[in-house]
Structure formats: C-alpha cells, structure tokens
Amino acid sequence: MKKSSGMSYAKILAIAMAVFCTTEIYSQSSLIGTLPMQFNPAFAGGAGCPRIGTSSHVVIYNYKSPFSNFGTYKYNRQNFAFSYDNFIPKINSGIGIQGGYSRLAYNGWQTNNLDLTQDIFLGLSIAPKFSFKGKYTLSPAVEIKANFKNTNYEHFSQKWEPVKSSINPEFRLGLAFNARKFYTGLSYHINGSLGNERGGRIYGVNGNRFTSTSPIWLVQLGYNFQKREDSKFSFSPQIVFARYNYQVEDIYKNAITTRSDLYLNLIFRFKKVIWGTTYGGYEGIKLIVGWQNKNIKIAYLHGGGLTANYNGEVSLRYIFNCKKITDLNKNNNY
C-alpha cells in the first residue's frame, strides 16, 4: 500500500470513529468545571455563591477522498450548553439547572444527502452540603434530566437511530468530597429508556449497530498545586473516568462489551493568565488559553488533527459576590 493511500485510510477511520463512537458525556464542554454538574450533580452550589457557566463548541470537517467512489465527506457539529447553580443557606443545599442544544449534520461517503441530528437536554439538581468546620465538605446529590432527540436521515445506510424522535429521561446520583486543595466525586447515571442508541451503520455494512446500556459510572478528581491562597502560580490537574457497557449488534454476533473513557485537564495559571491542555475521547488533545480572576474565568480551546478544518470552543464561568460568606471550602482555581 502506498503511503498516501495509508494516510487516506487513517483519515477515514478517524472520522468514522468520531461520528459513530463519540459519547454524550463529552458533548457539553472540554474544560472540566465550566459546567459544574456536567459529570456529577453533587457539585451544584459548590462555589457558595450564584454561579453561571456557558460553553459554545463548533467542529467542522470537510474531507475530499482521493478515491472517486468515496467523494467528499462533510461533518458539522455545534454544541451550546449552560448551567446555573447556587448555595441556599436556608436549606443548606446547592441547587443547579443545566441545559444544552447540539446539532450534528453530516453526509455519507457515497451520497450528498445531508443527515441531521438535534439534541436538547435539561437537568435539575439538588445537593445538600455537610461542612466540617469549613475544612471539608461532603455532598450527596440527585438530578432528574430529560433528553429530547430528533433525527432526519435521508440515506438509509447511514441511519443509526431506531426512531426519528425520542424523549429519554435520565436519573443521576452523585457524591462529592471537597477539601481546600482537593476534590473527588462519584456519580451513577441511569438511562430511563433502558438503552441509549449511540452508534450506527458504516456505509456498506448492513445491520451494524452500537448501543450503550445503563448504568454509567463516573469518577472525578481534582487537585490544586499552590503554596498559598495568594500565590501567583498554580497547577490544577483534573480527571474524569467513565465506565459502562455497550452492545454490538450485526449479522454475525450480538455481544455486550465493557468500555472505559478518560477525560483529562492540565491547567496552569500565572497571575490572571491560564493555559494548558485537555484530552477527551476521540477529539484528542486541545490547547487552552484564557484569563481569570476571583469572579470570572474565560477560555478558548482549540483542537485539530489530520482531518479537522476547525475544532474550537469558548467557555465562560462567572461567580457572583455573596452578601453572606458560607463556610464551604470553595476553591475557584478548578
């Protein structure tokens, strides 16, 4: 095989993996903490004051295959998400609301027909807080989430959804433990539909389908390396680890396999400038640059690779000032 042909096949494989294997938990924001309840509802109210977060993410692929029978492949994905959370002293609990909209449009390898998927989700969280002299905070949580999906597939060989539209309830349990420089969390997600369609048919392969199954376990960890609270420099690594099962169905087999996903942030700060890198699933590595102070944190994330024409995300987090200071051991560097 020629080197150019090998590279073409590698690009095709990379795009196919991005389309058919990208998980929903990575579709909101690559910067952990921008949307506090993204992975675990127990982080609602963790700032001790009202907090908002937003994320806008755009991915564009336009790839013309050197093989005449493949034609041009187009992939366009847009994700917009927001969150609001606050700590309510009267009930000693955090509350949180999050939502988002995703639009995915792409065509098959041998057709110009455009297939479209649109997703909307809304979630409501409550997270009681138990503080131990302001040094440690323990928080259990529960969230009710609704997912609305609509699909429009013109080309049958690319169809990866069993229905054109669906309403999919989700129930999430969370537990978080916070110290001054360290936090950890565990969450358990139950899909109300008893099976969340997340894969599809590759062109020319009849009946091949990937289906994720409930439940999903997620572990989240973070640590802030900083000598003093007023230090000019800090380093804040964060990690999310997910584990779940998925079912593979085709004309030859019907099997369930366990899968694990890793999501990593490495963030540096000097005075008010932040930079670093993220890694998340099939989108690979992204570079981060941004600015933050006590209240606001804004960042731009840029990814690339062999096939991406553009892969960029803008995230914003803002923490309002409180009249009453709580004893929660909050750390805004995360």
Side-chain angles (χ1 to χ4, degrees), residues 4-64:
S4 59
S5 298
M7 184 63 70
S8 298
Y9 283 121
K11 290 183 177 182
I12 292 171
L13 179 61
I15 294 177
M17 292 173 69
V19 173
F20 297 121
C21 301
T22 300
T23 65
E24 182 182 351
I25 63 172
Y26 294 153
S27 65
Q28 298 178 37
S29 175
S30 297
L31 191 57
I32 300 172
T34 297
L35 309 169
M37 295 85 68
Q38 178 176 354
F39 302 105
N40 189 335
F43 292 109
C49 299
R51 172 175 53 180
I52 58 173
T54 64
S55 172
S56 300
H57 187 194
V58 176
V59 182
I60 300 173
Y61 294 92
N62 286 306
Y63 174 66
K64 183 174 178 59

Side-chain angles (χ1 to χ4, degrees), residues 255-267:
I256 295 179
T257 304
T258 300
R259 173 172 171 172
S260 300
D261 285 339
L262 180 67
Y263 203 45
L264 178 66
N265 282 190
L266 301 174
I267 309 298

Side-chain angles (χ1 to χ4, degrees), residues 28-322:
Q28 298 178 37
S29 175
S30 297
L31 191 57
I32 300 172
T34 297
L35 309 169
M37 295 85 68
Q38 178 176 354
F39 302 105
N40 189 335
F43 292 109
C49 299
R51 172 175 53 180
I52 58 173
T54 64
S55 172
S56 300
H57 187 194
V58 176
V59 182
I60 300 173
Y61 294 92
N62 286 306
Y63 174 66
K64 183 174 178 59
S65 173
F67 307 104
S68 59
N69 59 324
F70 275 159
T72 301
Y73 178 84
K74 297 180 180 180
Y75 174 95
N76 188 308
R77 181 164 55 99
Q78 303 168 32
N79 298 325
F80 306 97
F82 74 92
S83 72
Y84 169 83
D85 69 300
N86 191 12
F87 177 74
I88 310 298
K90 290 184 179 181
I91 60 174
N92 201 43
S93 298
I95 60 169
I97 300 172
Q98 63 171 332
Y101 169 77
S102 297
R103 181 183 185 275
L104 170 62
Y106 64 95
N107 66 297
W109 286 110
Q110 295 175 318
T111 176
N112 290 321
N113 294 329
L114 189 67
D115 297 333
L116 179 64
T117 299
Q118 298 181 84
D119 295 87
I120 297 175
F121 77 91
L122 289 171
L124 175 63
S125 305
I126 182 168
K129 307 295 182 185
F130 301 95
S131 180
F132 303 92
K133 298 181 179 180
K135 294 182 178 180
Y136 309 101
T137 300
L138 183 67
S139 178
V142 62
E143 181 186 72
I144 298 175
K145 189 177 178 183
N147 302 288
F148 307 90
K149 177 172 287 188
N150 183 67
T151 62
N152 180 19
Y153 292 94
E154 300 294 337
H155 195 248
F156 183 76
S157 70
Q158 298 295 324
K159 189 172 182 179
W160 62 346
E161 295 287 343
V163 293
K164 289 197 67 175
S165 62
S166 64
I167 299 177
N168 180 19
E170 186 177 343
F171 184 71
R172 305 200 303 168
L173 298 173
L175 183 66
F177 176 80
N178 293 270
R180 175 61 64 181
K181 294 185 177 182
F182 169 79
Y183 79 83
T184 183
L186 175 68
S187 60
Y188 181 79
H189 303 191
I190 302 172
N191 192 312
S193 67
L194 302 180
N196 179 26
E197 192 75 16
R198 62 184 298 274
R201 299 175 178 177
I202 300 174
Y203 188 88
V205 180
N206 295 322
N208 190 28
R209 195 170 65 186
F210 299 87
T211 308
S212 68
T213 60
S214 255
I216 299 175
W217 287 94
L218 290 105
V219 177
Q220 186 173 345
L221 301 167
Y223 193 92
N224 185 46
F225 293 92
Q226 185 176 10
K227 288 185 176 181
R228 301 184 308 274
E229 290 188 12
D230 60 348
S231 295
K232 296 181 180 180
F233 178 82
S234 68
F235 171 53
S236 303
Q238 299 182 82
I239 188 171
V240 175
F241 179 79
R243 191 171 181 84
Y244 53 91
N245 294 329
Y246 71 92
Q247 184 173 358
V248 180
E249 302 176 52
D250 59 27
I251 59 176
Y252 302 107
K253 64 180 179 180
N254 187 336
I256 295 179
T257 304
T258 300
R259 173 172 171 172
S260 300
D261 285 339
L262 180 67
Y263 203 45
L264 178 66
N265 282 190
L266 301 174
I267 309 298
F268 299 87
R269 179 189 62 84
F270 181 72
K271 294 184 178 180
K272 296 181 180 180
V273 178
I274 60 174
W275 72 95
T277 184
T278 72
Y279 171 80
Y282 294 101
E283 289 198 351
I285 296 175
K286 292 182 181 179
L287 300 179
I288 304 170
V289 63
W291 185 88
Q292 78 170 72
N293 60 16
K294 176 183 176 182
N295 299 97
I296 192 170
K297 181 177 182 179
I298 185 169
Y300 175 74
L301 292 75
H302 190 83
L306 296 174
T307 57
N309 297 98
Y310 180 76
N311 185 347
E313 176 186 342
V314 176
S315 69
L316 171 67
R317 187 199 67 188
Y318 187 84
I319 301 174
F320 295 85
N321 293 322
C322 292

